[in-house]
Amino acid sequence: MKETALYIHIPFCKQKCLYCDFPSFANSEGLMERYIEALCKEIKSVCNKKVSTIFIGGGTPTYLNLDALEKLKKSLEILDLSKNIEFTIEGNPGTFTKEKLKILKDMGVNRLSIGLQAAQDKLLKKLGRIHDFNSFIDSYNMARSMGFKNINIDLMFGLPDQTIEMWKYTLETIVRLNPEHLSCYSLILEEGTPFFNLYSEKDLPSEDIVSEMYSITKDFLNSKGYFQYEISNFSKQNLECKHNLVYWNLKNYIGIGSGAHSYYNGIRYRNETDVQKYVEKVMGYGNAIVESYENTKEDNIEEFMFLGLRKINGISIKEFKRRFGKDIFLVYGNIIKKYECENMIIIKEDRLYLSSRGIEISNYILSDFIIKI
Ligand code: SF4
């Protein structure tokens, strides 16, 4: 049986962060009960597949109440899970309780991803986060005391009023806690968010400063035993996020819940984003798919390159041939040669990957891998 990764979306947040453009909503608690009912119904559609990883993301999954978590736990019991499954849930400080963590443990969750973003309360407030730094520490310690041995912490740099010193302090403080994994993203002003109206590029740290922050992140984390395995992700040895690697390796995943995306057997699907409509669709027809598209061979080739080159060890030349029946150099020879000469792309045995310099301008390089017909 083919294995698949499973993503489960929880669209509720206590409060909407000012920079966030994810499909998540505040003040929608009234929909929680019916949403979970629909979600549990949709989960049944995966019971004939072997599930290799589960990622419950959002939104703020730990904002679900105990009753909702219990129902979710029950619905997952019917799934056929791989023996060494990685099972992650995202949570935000201020929404953790021991009772919730206990249910999550019983559900089989073995990896927590905690959203912190910065170690300075002043910055957290600016971002519109619901928590301060101390409440993050309480949540982290609570998770450790409940036996969670694999924890990721999300951080952000390039924030308004964030200095290089502040970013260094955040990294140093977090590394002292010894988490297994760190995700470090630079802020992007997304259209439609309050941040987009409040700030313009000139209110943010300059491009040079952001690039220095990124460079500091890589050097500092490497010196502390965290290996960079993707543009924004660092982990201790063998503790990379297996679920996210499924996306970057262009493998099968099924997304459940409002606004969730799937990629299965070369077909991309998207679920209804509106929570109310999602519930109605699932309860009425058993699914909430509003869009599906069969990738062409060219789409798959581009995505394989786009996503694969985000990884520090890039892509396998042999795998390209095996998947697409073509030699990578016949498809991309000129582009590869150009960037190889500029030391932006490195080829070593079977691997083709971006150099450190290449990663710094990865957006620019990756756009060259779009196949122009
Ligand atoms: S907690 Fe996460 S998903 Fe919710 S609003 Fe903030 S950034 Fe968005």
Side-chain angles (χ1 to χ4, degrees):
M1 196 191 294
K2 249 194 191 172
E3 286 204 331
T4 184
L6 176 64
Y7 173 77
I8 300 174
H9 189 68
I10 305 295
F12 308 106
C13 285
K14 193 166 173 184
Q15 174 182 298
K16 191 81 186 164
C17 302
L18 300 173
Y19 58 90
C20 175
D21 77 332
F22 299 144
S24 66
F25 310 93
N27 306 315
S28 302
E29 293 78 2
L31 288 169
M32 214 181 257
E33 201 180 327
R34 291 200 64 221
Y35 182 79
I36 290 295
E37 233 177 274
L39 199 63
C40 294
K41 186 168 176 188
E42 211 194 352
I43 285 171
K44 284 195 189 131
S45 64
V46 194
C47 69
N48 57 350
K49 311 226 164 32
K50 185 102 184 160
V51 178
S52 56
T53 61
I54 302 179
F55 194 106
I56 307 183
T60 306
T62 47
Y63 187 46
L64 289 177
N65 58 36
L66 295 175
D67 187 47
L69 286 171
E70 283 288 4
K71 284 188 178 136
L72 187 56
K73 173 175 160 261
K74 183 114 198 61
S75 76
L76 294 175
E77 280 166 10
I78 59 160
L79 296 184
D80 181 7
L81 308 179
S82 295
K83 222 159 103 213
N84 296 321
I85 189 163
E86 175 193 271
F87 187 167
T88 306
I89 191 163
E90 285 182 332
N92 283 308
T95 59
F96 280 67
T97 62
K98 280 195 169 164
E99 291 80 0
K100 288 183 185 180
L101 291 181
K102 165 90 178 58
I103 299 174
L104 296 178
K105 270 241 121 174
D106 294 345
M107 202 189 281
V109 171
N110 52 24
R111 186 171 182 273
L112 276 185
S113 178
I114 307 179
L116 167 64
Q117 319 312 345
Q120 295 80 9
D121 289 345
K122 197 175 92 182
L123 291 182
L124 294 175
K125 209 162 179 188
K126 218 170 232 289
L127 293 170
R129 303 286 300 176
I130 54 166
H131 57 89
D132 56 17
F133 184 68
N134 281 337
S135 104
F136 159 76
I137 292 287
D138 291 345
S139 301
Y140 183 87
N141 289 338
M142 192 192 290
R144 284 294 197 212
S145 74
M146 297 289 290
F148 286 94
K149 295 194 172 72
N150 192 357
I151 298 186
N152 166 60
I153 298 174
D154 279 343
L155 299 174
M156 282 171 97
F157 58 97
L159 306 175
D161 292 340
Q162 185 187 39
T163 61
I164 288 183
E165 287 314 311
M166 287 161 113
W167 176 237
K168 275 190 192 162
Y169 174 83
T170 296
L171 289 172
E172 283 161 6
T173 313
I174 294 313
V175 162
R176 271 200 290 276
L177 295 173
N178 208 19
E180 284 66 33
H181 191 286
L182 283 160
S183 298
C184 303
Y185 295 100
S186 69
L187 174 77
I188 296 171
L189 289 179
E190 301 284 3
E191 229 176 310
T193 62
F195 253 38
F196 192 80
N197 301 325
L198 280 169
Y199 302 106
S200 65
E201 297 295 338
K202 69 175 177 18
D203 304 309
L204 302 178
S206 70
E207 233 176 76
D208 285 350
I209 293 194
V210 172
S211 131
E212 196 177 335
M213 286 175 168
Y214 184 54
S215 194
I216 288 169
T217 310
K218 292 195 288 186
D219 294 345
F220 178 71
L221 293 181
N222 280 333
S223 77
K224 297 289 177 187
Y226 292 90
F227 299 93
Q228 186 182 16
Y229 68 100
E230 192 266 349
I231 295 178
S232 309
N233 285 282
F234 302 80
S235 79
K236 292 199 175 166
Q237 196 89 51
N238 299 324
L239 287 167
E240 299 93 346
C241 175
K242 290 185 194 157
H243 183 86
N244 284 340
L245 282 168
V246 168
Y247 301 144
W248 299 320
N249 287 328
L250 197 63
K251 296 218 165 120
N252 284 336
Y253 61 89
I254 292 175
I256 297 282
S258 59
H261 291 246
S262 308
Y263 176 76
Y264 198 79
N265 287 346
I267 305 178
R268 293 212 169 270
Y269 304 90
R270 184 176 67 80
N271 269 0
E272 169 66 55
T273 305
D274 181 278
V275 178
Q276 179 85 43
K277 286 189 190 149
Y278 164 81
V279 171
E280 284 161 14
K281 286 202 158 96
V282 174
M283 293 324 247
Y285 326 109
N287 74 68
I289 296 171
V290 285
E291 218 177 276
S292 70
Y293 170 78
E294 181 160 8
N295 268 11
T296 61
K297 189 170 182 178
E298 282 73 26
D299 293 329
N300 282 327
I301 290 178
E302 283 172 3
E303 289 176 14
F304 180 80
M305 296 306 289
F306 250 87
L307 296 163
L309 289 177
R310 295 187 60 88
K311 293 175 293 160
I312 300 306
N313 74 352
I315 56 117
S316 152
I317 294 168
K318 280 192 201 127
E319 197 192 340
F320 186 99
K321 180 88 195 264
R322 188 183 56 74
R323 275 195 172 209
F324 307 115
K326 287 184 183 180
D327 187 306
I328 193 169
F329 298 99
L330 286 179
V331 184
Y332 288 121
N334 290 340
I335 299 163
I336 293 172
K337 203 156 153 200
K338 172 179 145 199
Y339 287 118
E340 206 188 358
C341 289
E342 293 171 5
N343 290 325
M344 299 289 185
I345 278 183
I346 298 172
I347 299 174
K348 208 169 179 186
E349 293 160 11
D350 180 43
R351 306 298 305 186
L352 185 152
Y353 54 94
L354 298 183
S355 65
S356 274
R357 280 183 61 216
I359 283 174
E360 273 164 34
I361 55 156
S362 57
N363 283 347
Y364 177 76
I365 298 179
L366 295 179
S367 67
D368 259 356
F369 282 89
I370 293 175
I371 298 171
K372 294 158 188 103
I373 304 171

